[in-house]
Amino acid sequence: MADTAIRFGFLALLAGLIAFFSVSAPGFLSPQSAVFIFQSVAITGILALGVTATLVVGGFDLSIGSVATSSMMAAAYAMVVLEQNALVAVLFCLAIGALVGLVNGIIIVYMRVPDLLATLGMMFLLVGLQRIPTEGRSIAAGMTMPDGSTAAGTFSPAFLALGRHRFDFFLPNLLPVSVVVLLVLALLIWFFLEYTRFGRMMYAVGSNERAAELAGAPVKAYKIWAYVISGIFASIGGILLAARLGRGDIASGNNLLLDAVAAALIGFAVLGAAKPNAFGTAIGALFVGVLLQGLTMMNAPYYTQDFVKGAVLVVALVFTFALSNRSRR
Amino acid sequence: MEATFRITGLRKAFGPIRVLNDVALDLCSGEVTVLMGANGAGKSTLVKIMSGVHRLDAGEMTLGGVRYHPASPAEAIRAGVVTVHQNINDGVVAALDVAANLTLDRLSGKGAPLFYNPRRVRREAKAVAARLDLDIDLGASIADLSLADRQMVAIARAMAHEPKVMILDEPTSSLSSAEANRLFAVIDRLRQHGVAILYITHRMSDIRRVADRIVSLRDGSISGVFETKPLDYEGAVNAMLGRAMHLVAVDVKEATHPVFEANDLRLSDQSRPFSMVLGAGEVVAVTGLVGVGKTLLAETLFGLRRPLAGTMRLRGEAYAPTSTAEAIEKGVFLVAKDRAESGIVGDFNIYKNISLPFLERFSRLGVSRRGAERAVAREQIDRLSIVCRSERDDMSTLSGGNQQKVMVARWMAQPASLFILDEPFQGVDIAARRDIASKLRASAAGRTTLLFLTELDEALETADRILVMSEHTIVGEHRNEGLDMDRLLAQVAGEPMRGAA
């Protein structure tokens, strides 16, 4: 009984929430509304899936938010200032994500800096670094450069399509690219972590590093790869953010880190896993999206949003650590 | 003598499972009563009831003739029943120095002064340390102390409560022999102070050294009390296991052909080089005291460290592994010491623990085949008679002996050339130990099985050949058949010896 409650409690809560909003907020139960929810959590969801990989190996990545915003600025810079096409901009961003992840991993694994501190430092560094090329300005087509000239490039239409194109799905123009990317990445990382031997070994590393090493696993490599995955996912989030905004906005993306981490931690409670898992992370992100969308449609003011997210996170953590541990004993 | 502490008719059940049945136990002042019992016999439950963690369901406990039913550990301590737990670090605060640890209970108790006065604390700590003749720097930080010293501090701290009864739960399980000897000296001193001691242990050597009486517990009932001197140790083991437990003579086998050779291997700076040849089909035990380099040798063979000098050959080819992965690839497997720390993956269930090192062989294109994993796990559960509901059980639901069987099963699932087990019988009850040993012997054909064992009894029960290690080198070799015990013991004790054969 208690086991069932722990296993399905959170999913039941999500179902109850959807039922409640469907009844009390007219228009909540529509494809458009559902797509809007997915769209609202797409970028944080992608970041959360990335950070899940680091949580699995027993680490943590605080730099994901700033990797995403750096990637957004880099995309804008590549196209507007360097006048490159969409493909180059995307590859540039992915390279930055992978590089940051690699550096994080090396600092943590080889220089033995604790993960929270290393990635906190990296976060700080990136927040500052992304402002240097433009001397703190946001990047948009036709902007004035520090030397007084005007930037000649523009956001390429192909790149903007990543943020604005919608696929037909039952209804015309329903699914935005970002939602498709989220679903594909969620499926990928879920399959990777649950069903491949690499994912299994990453869980082993996170649970008992010494045992994994004695079982022949290249523990250091797995850890570094986890940070590289996290970096690449964060940079994908940044690309989608840039495509959605159509500019490199230095003020955006403030909430990305906290929202993503919250989704991953809420995911611990899903299916009573009590450990990081991709499915839980996706549900966690969705849960926050549903709650916010429902409350917004019921006219809750925007400034209550963070409070609601925080409350959900605390409840989920209590659920995970207090309840599931008790039943296990 | 009148008993200081008396238990009569004690019963305890957890849900439908009866753990203790009509247990009666007397502890007398100034006596060490050893409590023996296999894993799951109910020892820890009994200790927890005595120390106020659990309540009893029925029965009576008296302390000094007065009814004693503690509702909490704090109440038990106030009444004078103090427990020193198996996990040494539970008894000390690592961030504080020795003096503060010794007086910790006074720092927080009622009537404790508001300000921390280092001089007063040092003075009180000195008095506490003096009672047990502790020779530890009071200013040292706990983190810098050896496990043995921490244990002494925990016991000394417990003594500060002026206990009438002290419970020592497997106190030597993480100590070396020399350290254990210091502990025994302290126990002698506690005895002189008139403390009634309940001493829980698996180790025969401990029992021989400290026991005044032996009480055997089996399946939740007292199955034997031994108090006439000389104590009947075999009888006590018998009572605990319910069958005759003499040292089982091994049917010694000869190696068929060499599998592994080491030539002039040197493990540390000062040690003498040694050579050895291990053959197919034989079980070889390397014995010696704690700290003589057994784990060092195991780790060298498994590619965790490089020898300082010398060469190794495996099945005729040069063998110099640079990683555990390479060692495993070449058929050298290690069941590492201390399963909780270096073996069990806590988040994984049984079958995932078993498949861990060979996941690649259970995978196609990187995707693991769970059906195959589970089939192999079921086979191993059967083969090693692991007690569990299914191969998907969590490791935490298994007893220590069964957890160790899973660790062995992990490596037995694949054919090995050199199968190394470092202290495989640590924290394993005797029945499970016999089980593991007989399975190791039964499957020994075709590979070399190399065991690292501190307990000589364990080596005598399992090996065809015994190598003795001392000071990071091998100092003796014996066939386990009419062997010269005196000579072997002398070699273990580190008597100067000529090189190993």
Side-chain angles (χ1 to χ4, degrees), chain B residues 472-489:
Chain B
H472 295 182
T473 192
I474 289 179
V475 295
E477 182 190 357
H478 304 261
R479 248 174 75 84
N480 189 9
E481 206 171 31
L483 56 78
D484 181 350
M485 201 61 177
D486 291 339
R487 194 163 148 251
L488 197 158
L489 286 171

Side-chain angles (χ1 to χ4, degrees), chain A residues 194-197 200 208 213, chain B residues 324 344 347 366 368 370 373:
Chain A
E194 297 296 320
Y195 290 99
T196 70
R197 65 184 172 93
R200 179 82 66 80
N208 188 341
E213 189 191 351
Chain B
T324 55
I344 293 169
D347 282 351
S368 59
R370 294 183 183 207
E373 287 179 55

Side-chain angles (χ1 to χ4, degrees), chain A residues 191 194-198 200-201 203-204 206-208 210-217 275 328, chain B residues 302 304 324-325 328 336 340-348 352 359 363 366-368 370 373:
Chain A
F191 185 80
E194 297 296 320
Y195 290 99
T196 70
R197 65 184 172 93
F198 310 103
R200 179 82 66 80
M201 290 316 285
Y203 273 113
S207 177
N208 188 341
R210 173 92 181 141
E213 189 191 351
L214 289 174
K275 60 182 181 192
R328 209 163 275 185
Chain B
F302 193 55
L304 280 163
T324 55
I328 294 167
E341 186 132 320
S342 48
I344 293 169
V345 176
D347 282 351
F348 284 8
K352 288 183 179 175
L359 217 44
S363 311
V367 180
S368 59
R370 294 183 183 207
E373 287 179 55

Side-chain angles (χ1 to χ4, degrees), chain A residues 271-285:
Chain A
L271 290 181
K275 60 182 181 192
N277 67 100
F279 180 71
T281 299
I283 296 295

Side-chain angles (χ1 to χ4, degrees), chain B residues 258-272:
Chain B
V259 171
F260 175 87
E261 291 164 62
N263 289 306
D264 298 323
L265 214 55
R266 238 180 70 216
L267 298 180
S268 68
D269 276 337
Q270 271 102 48
S271 70
R272 257 185 321 108

